Amino acid sequence: MTQSNDQLVNQPLGRRTLMKGAGLGLVAGSLSATLPAPSASAATEGGEIWSSEYWAKKGDVPLWMFRKRVGAPKAGEPSKPVLFFVHGSSVTSRCFDIHVKGGGEYSVMDEFARYGFDCWTMDHENYGKSGRTSGNSDIKSGVEDLKAALDVLSKETGRQKYHFLGESAGAIRAGAFAEVQPDRVDRLVLAAFTYKGDGAPTLVKRAEQLDYYRTHNMRKRDREMIRSIATRDKPGTSELAAVEALADAEMPFGDQVPTGTYLDMTSKMPQVDPKKVVVPTLVISGQYDGNSTVADLQDFYGQLPNGDRQLIILPGVAHSVVLATNRQLFWHATKAFLTMPTPIST
């Protein structure tokens, strides 16, 4: 028997409540809820992808920013919707702009630039090209980094509100930022997100090193550790060539990264209060993600106050949605969420 949209919306959300469509697993939420005006064309834009580097300042700490879009900005032209990518614990912002020789498109920045977005990212404090300090670059520090980026975004784009997409600990950073700066967030995508992390196998294993994270601000992050991001949950869900390309991009920045987000995720969760995330939100995760459970994500999703919300579980995907063999599913669901039409009735 076919259920109506109202029946689907009003019934409790069970673990196997599925709306099969476009190869996606779980899609939850009322599509009749209040939605913003469309912010980018669903069509793919042609033209050369232009890029540029920028610097933000958080006090005395320089923070490297990177931008990609189709065509260089021109005076007097309408601005494009901004999509800001937020990286996680063990990699820099390079994860959003990976190029795999002969492996097809892996740069999510290039892909969304072609969708019509003005794509931005940054290296957080103690990562990549950004400044080095004695801190451990925890979630709160990452929120301050994002605050520092706002002046650059406003100056360069002329906009005051932006879409944010974070992966893994980057999703926690983005969610925590949306709590304190909801007026600067248009739509929020939390990819590979962790709410409380109860029963998540990766976090249970990670917690065995909790004493180390408490007493050290940096940890080892070698090539093998980078490989494990795409293999630890479900080998075969990412192409090895893509993982090696990520390692090649990351290793020039050294084999040490901060411990702050690991400490937060193993001893200080939750870092994001869903009741305070008032912006339209997409929670999207892989079927085999070891950093969270479906129950954990459902708990978070159920407390979001904005009716404009979705929860999507991607089949055949593990923790890294960006590096997944099935990454096109992630692109499709995210683009659909970011380009929602204006509702006729609210």
Side-chain angles (χ1 to χ4, degrees):
M1 178 180 295
T2 301
Q3 291 177 295
S4 70
N5 287 340
D6 287 342
Q7 288 174 313
L8 286 171
V9 169
N10 292 330
Q11 70 182 17
L13 180 64
R15 177 180 177 87
R16 302 304 298 171
T17 301
L18 300 178
M19 293 175 61
K20 294 290 187 179
L24 302 180
L26 175 64
V27 181
S30 172
L31 297 183
S32 61
T34 301
L35 302 174
S39 56
S41 170
T44 300
E45 288 192 358
E48 293 295 320
I49 293 179
W50 171 90
S51 66
S52 188
E53 301 182 7
Y54 303 83
W55 290 93
K57 288 294 292 288
K58 183 178 69 172
D60 294 330
V61 182
L63 301 171
W64 184 79
M65 298 177 65
F66 185 59
R67 178 188 192 185
K68 280 192 160 186
R69 47 170 279 166
V70 172
K74 296 179 181 178
E77 71 175 359
S79 63
K80 297 174 182 285
V82 173
L83 176 56
F84 196 102
F85 295 92
V86 188
H87 74 75
S89 299
S90 299
V91 293
T92 70
S93 60
R94 306 309 167 294
C95 66
F96 301 118
D97 194 32
I98 291 299
H99 299 276
V100 181
K101 186 176 181 179
E105 183 62 83
Y106 271 93
S107 171
V108 68
M109 294 187 76
D110 284 355
E111 188 70 16
F112 277 79
R114 296 189 190 101
Y115 294 157
F117 293 94
D118 188 350
C119 297
W120 290 73
T121 190
M122 77 186 312
D123 287 341
H124 287 284
E125 178 184 327
N126 289 322
Y127 287 88
K129 293 184 179 181
S130 288
R132 297 300 191 264
T133 72
S134 60
N136 70 354
S137 302
D138 60 6
I139 297 299
K140 289 181 179 179
S141 172
V143 170
E144 295 304 311
D145 295 341
L146 295 175
K147 288 180 181 178
L150 294 177
D151 286 343
V152 177
L153 291 174
S154 178
K155 177 183 177 182
E156 297 296 331
T157 70
R159 289 183 171 243
Q160 295 300 310
K161 296 185 74 171
Y162 322 100
H163 303 308
F164 284 84
L165 187 161
E167 185 185 41
S168 190
I172 302 175
R173 288 180 173 119
F177 173 79
E179 270 193 45
V180 298
Q181 295 269 230
D183 57 319
R184 306 303 297 274
V185 180
D186 192 346
R187 299 178 80 78
L188 176 67
V189 180
L190 304 179
F193 177 69
T194 304
Y195 174 35
K196 294 179 181 177
D198 296 340
T202 298
L203 298 188
V204 171
K205 180 67 175 177
R206 189 175 294 171
E208 295 174 2
Q209 302 296 318
L210 184 55
D211 287 343
Y212 183 89
Y213 307 144
R214 284 174 170 156
T215 56
H216 296 76
N217 283 348
M218 301 294 287
R219 61 181 172 85
K220 188 81 168 179
R221 189 281 314 252
D222 57 13
R223 180 175 286 269
E224 192 59 36
M225 189 274 153
I226 294 172
R227 289 173 179 148
S228 75
I229 296 171
T231 61
R232 66 192 179 211
D233 297 329
K234 182 75 170 177
T237 52
S238 292
E239 298 293 339
L240 294 181
V243 181
E244 291 302 325
L246 176 61
D248 289 343
E250 290 292 330
M251 293 317 298
F253 299 106
D255 63 356
Q256 300 283 322
V257 289
T259 57
T261 56
Y262 268 30
L263 178 60
D264 286 342
M265 294 174 73
T266 52
S267 66
K268 302 178 182 180
M269 297 295 275
Q271 288 284 312
V272 182
D273 182 350
K275 295 184 178 67
K276 296 180 181 178
V277 180
V278 299
V279 302
T281 302
L282 165 62
V283 181
I284 184 166
S285 187
Q287 174 186 2
Y288 302 111
D289 189 357
N291 275 39
S292 65
T293 63
V294 173
D296 190 49
L297 299 178
Q298 288 177 338
D299 185 9
F300 181 86
Y301 169 84
Q303 298 180 67
L304 292 170
N306 194 320
D308 184 1
R309 55 183 179 165
Q310 294 182 27
L311 170 59
I312 299 179
I313 303 299
L314 300 173
V317 176
H319 180 60
S320 178
V321 296
V322 171
L323 288 181
T325 303
N326 289 343
R327 61 198 178 281
Q328 292 89 347
L329 300 182
F330 169 60
W331 300 345
H332 173 88
T334 300
K335 180 176 73 169
F337 177 72
L338 295 179
T339 58
M340 281 286 186
T342 304
I344 297 173
S345 176
T346 60

